[in-house]
Amino acid sequence: MLDVRRLRVLAEFASHGTVAAAARALHLTGPAVSQQLAVLEKEAGVQLLEKRGRTLHLTGAGQRLVDHAHVLLGNLAAAESDLTALRQGERGTVRVAAFASAARAIMPSLWPEPGAAPAPEEPAVFLVEHEPPAAEAALGRREVDIAVTHS
């Protein structure tokens, strides 16, 4: 099983481009980051990094795992945020980007009946109308939590 902390190290490496920069961002030493990346590679069972000269680069498999790590880390952050809101008696929010016809078909089931108050534990849902490319871009910028698209 993959370790979330090691996935965070891989994501920081991908974001910063070097072991030293990832180490600074994570408040770790360079050797600690290298060790975590090596263990993650063993856990994954595929080569995630390759040396080119004196620098490390992500392999195709490494980039795919980074993409998954971003999703997992984003979901983990959202879960932590929701739990914090619940502890403080607040409702969470979900921001949805959808194109018009999908919004008309899907979204009505997410709102309470007119005049009815939503349950206190249910998140508030906000809709932003976007065509699929704009919805995907908004999701990538973390402006929305869900993007409804088609292919």
Side-chain angles (χ1 to χ4, degrees):
M1 176 169 288
L2 300 175
D3 185 289
V4 174
R5 293 168 295 200
R6 291 188 189 103
L7 289 173
R8 187 178 313 274
V9 171
L10 181 67
E12 288 295 329
F13 170 80
S15 175
H16 295 285
T18 67
V19 169
R24 282 191 300 276
L26 293 165
H27 306 289
L28 296 172
T29 64
V33 168
S34 294
Q35 181 184 28
Q36 292 300 306
L37 292 173
V39 171
L40 179 61
E41 198 167 65
K42 285 181 184 172
E43 288 174 349
V46 294
Q47 185 178 359
L48 302 174
L49 303 164
E50 62 185 359
K51 283 189 177 185
R52 291 188 204 150
R54 294 180 50 195
T55 59
L56 280 178
H57 295 273
L58 290 170
T59 63
Q63 184 57 56
R64 287 180 70 178
L65 190 55
V66 167
D67 293 342
H68 286 292
H70 286 303
V71 172
L72 290 168
L73 295 170
N75 287 342
L76 184 58
E80 290 170 344
S81 178
D82 282 350
L83 289 173
T84 299
L86 288 171
R87 280 192 299 271
Q88 296 171 353
E90 300 171 3
R91 296 174 58 191
T93 60
V94 177
R95 301 160 299 171
V96 180
F99 54 100
S101 58
R104 282 192 301 273
I106 298 170
M107 300 306 292
S109 64
L110 299 177
W111 271 278
E113 291 296 319
E121 69 276 1
E122 291 181 4
V125 178
F126 295 96
L127 173 63
V128 179
E129 187 176 327
H130 282 310
E131 287 301 312
E136 290 173 7
L139 184 65
R141 292 188 305 269
R142 300 184 187 255
E143 294 172 355
V144 297
D145 302 302
I146 299 171
V148 179
T149 66
H150 59 78
S151 61

